[in-house]
Amino acid sequence: EPEVTQTPSHQVTQMGQEVILRCVPISNHLYFYWYRQILGQKVEFLVSFYNNEISEKSEIFDDQFSVERPDGSNFTLKIRSTKLEDSAMYFCASNLSGGPSKSQYFGPGTRLTVL
Amino acid sequence: DAKTTQPPSMDCAEGRAANLPCNHSTISGNEYVYWYRQIHSQGPQYIIHGLKNNETNEMASLIITEDRKSSTLILPHATLRDTAVYYCIVHNAGNMLTFGGGTRLMVKP
């Protein structure tokens, strides 16, 4: 069964450093998402991406964040200058089409620790 | 998206059916009911979704009341591996899923 994959599984970085989290969505999916979950808190939506553009983003997704689909398979989340409060699990998801009729499939997550 | 209300926790005996309720009294006609689960900080796992009719797949059944104001996720024969947080999400327009606190299901031997 096809899966969303994410690398690395755990990333440790110093405050102020840039990090890039990588995702390989399911191959025929067209919509891509990033969510995050701070330890002990709810899963929060960050951004959705379709046709090489951001289609929706939350208040959390400020200028420090960017997303990119650099080739036909990868989808990346970049945090330009990490802060302590960026420490969280980051989940990538994908689905065949946007909107509510098609389910989103999530990857296993990247645990980001900012020191 | 409409708000959902779920009990914070439930227990179930291994091998028995787990029935997880969800209230979504403000749901509108074009909003889908989705269920996901999260096993110990892993990525949320899609279980099932429906609009009006009851749905069944290899993992679970979804029962939606006729007025659509509540639903129940049924795991017919719960195993220890079904211990997880279960999220009921009402999804309308847009692409984002809004996760609440969910129900922490503990399956006990």
Side-chain angles (χ1 to χ4, degrees):
Chain A
E1 188 174 313
E3 293 179 334
V4 176
T5 59
Q6 292 186 242
T7 53
S9 57
H10 191 184
Q11 173 94 47
V12 181
T13 190
Q14 295 290 326
M15 191 169 55
Q17 295 296 304
E18 174 183 287
V19 293
I20 297 176
L21 310 182
R22 291 183 167 78
C23 167
V24 179
I26 293 172
S27 63
N28 62 338
H29 284 185
L30 301 175
Y31 287 76
F32 315 114
Y33 310 85
W34 284 101
Y35 292 78
R36 80 169 186 192
Q37 186 175 31
I38 295 170
L39 186 63
Q41 298 187 24
K42 297 175 185 177
V43 177
E44 301 173 290
F45 170 81
L46 293 178
V47 67
S48 63
F49 190 85
Y50 168 71
N51 200 26
N52 278 323
E53 287 184 350
I54 290 174
S55 51
E56 203 170 349
K57 62 181 181 178
S58 71
E59 294 175 349
I60 304 167
F61 194 88
D62 61 22
D63 292 345
Q64 291 287 79
F65 292 90
S66 62
V67 288
E68 192 180 26
R69 188 152 162 84
D71 54 41
S73 58
N74 290 285
F75 179 51
T76 61
L77 174 70
K78 183 193 290 187
I79 308 175
R80 241 176 292 283
S81 176
T82 49
K83 305 190 262 280
L84 295 176
E85 54 266 36
D86 293 327
S87 293
M89 285 290 291
Y90 287 81
F91 298 109
C92 174
S94 69
N95 65 354
L96 196 53
S97 65
S101 63
K102 294 292 184 189
S103 49
Q104 295 179 23
Y105 292 89
F106 285 76
T110 292
R111 180 175 300 282
L112 176 65
T113 302
V114 182
L115 302 175
Chain B
D1 294 345
K3 184 176 161 52
T4 61
T5 304
Q6 298 178 253
S9 64
M10 289 181 65
D11 290 345
C12 177
E14 189 179 18
R16 305 297 293 266
N19 296 281
L20 293 95
C22 179
N23 284 322
H24 31 79
S25 57
T26 60
I27 194 169
S28 61
N30 55 352
E31 290 184 310
Y32 285 75
V33 179
Y34 272 81
W35 284 84
Y36 282 80
R37 73 181 182 184
Q38 190 175 26
I39 298 171
H40 189 59
S41 296
Q42 294 177 22
Q45 179 189 21
Y46 166 75
I47 302 172
I48 199 166
H49 74 286
L51 183 59
K52 295 179 185 175
N53 299 323
N54 298 337
E55 302 287 343
T56 295
N57 63 21
E58 65 278 3
M59 287 184 71
S61 295
L62 172 60
I63 308 298
I64 302 175
T65 57
E66 198 168 333
D67 63 8
R68 303 207 327 120
K69 292 186 177 182
S70 66
S71 60
T72 301
L73 178 75
I74 301 171
L75 307 178
H77 306 285
T79 71
L80 299 178
R81 287 179 296 180
D82 292 321
T83 292
V85 179
Y86 287 77
Y87 299 101
C88 169
I89 298 170
V90 170
H91 188 30
N92 182 8
N95 298 318
M96 67 172 166
L97 294 173
T98 302
F99 288 79
T103 295
R104 185 171 298 277
L105 175 68
M106 180 75 71
V107 180
K108 298 184 173 178

